[in-house]
Amino acid sequence: MAHGRFVIVPDELVSPESMVNLIPAPLHLRKRMHVVKHEITDGLSIIFQATDEGDSLHEMEHLLSVSLSTAGISLHAEIIDDRLNIAVSDSDTLVFANSIHLDNIEEDDRTDVLYHILAVLDHLNLDTAKVPVTFSRDIDSNLRHLLSRYLCIK
């Protein structure tokens, strides 16, 4: 499964020739990239840099599909290694998606996870007490307790 560079774009902006140019990377790297495109919803696709020819999915794809299948406004997140992946959707409309590098990957201090989620909700002018936040993978009970003090954790 691939991780790292990705972009989510409307299908009308994507052609086989333009895909590699949509990935945020220096030009000299783009020339050697293997790029994969998958449709997320009707009219919206994720394009990502595959680490090798065998990568067929990007780690954000599952999170995006779960988020887009949830009724109403919601934030879905997952922690994979040193990254926090976040997707915010309003029913079948993607509002925000990003993969954020976590500086502090120690399990006993994950305040950076709280900070990033609060920053996203603030940026989108969403009420932290009303927007459900769901993690697609299990999280540490201490982190769950911390997050539940400030967020509507599901």
Side-chain angles (χ1 to χ4, degrees):
M1 184 172 295
H3 59 274
R5 294 184 172 111
F6 72 96
V7 63
I8 299 167
V9 294
D11 285 336
E12 64 263 14
L13 297 180
V14 181
S15 68
E17 301 79 33
S18 70
M19 285 191 339
V20 73
N21 294 322
L22 295 171
I23 301 291
L27 184 59
H28 71 280
L29 291 178
R30 283 191 223 150
K31 292 178 181 177
R32 297 185 303 245
M33 266 192 233
H34 174 63
V35 179
V36 177
K37 173 186 174 264
H38 285 150
E39 186 176 288
I40 300 170
T41 64
D42 189 33
L44 192 64
S45 292
I46 183 170
I47 299 171
F48 63 91
Q49 174 189 357
T51 52
D52 61 47
E53 297 287 332
D55 283 338
S56 60
L57 291 175
H58 191 278
E59 67 186 18
M60 287 291 289
E61 287 187 68
H62 173 72
L63 190 66
L64 292 168
S65 66
V66 169
S67 181
L68 289 166
S69 66
T70 304
I73 190 86
S74 63
L75 184 148
H76 290 262
E78 65 185 355
I79 299 170
I80 299 176
D81 299 326
D82 63 346
R83 287 177 317 286
L84 170 64
N85 296 329
I86 299 176
V88 179
S89 65
D90 190 352
S91 297
D92 62 352
T93 302
L94 183 64
V95 177
F96 177 90
N98 202 358
S99 182
I100 302 161
H101 174 76
L102 298 172
D103 292 326
N104 183 6
I105 59 171
E106 299 300 320
E107 294 247 349
D108 59 340
D109 180 17
R110 298 308 289 267
T111 54
D112 52 347
V113 173
L114 174 63
Y115 168 80
H116 288 297
I117 293 174
L118 287 172
V120 168
L121 293 172
D122 182 61
H123 175 75
L124 298 173
N125 294 317
L126 297 174
D127 187 344
T128 59
K130 294 183 180 173
V131 175
V133 175
T134 305
F135 278 81
S136 64
R137 296 173 182 235
D138 289 335
I139 58 172
D140 177 79
S141 62
N142 292 333
L143 176 58
R144 180 173 290 284
H145 177 72
L146 172 68
L147 296 174
S148 65
R149 291 174 51 200
Y150 301 95
L151 303 167
C152 179
I153 299 294
K154 296 292 176 187

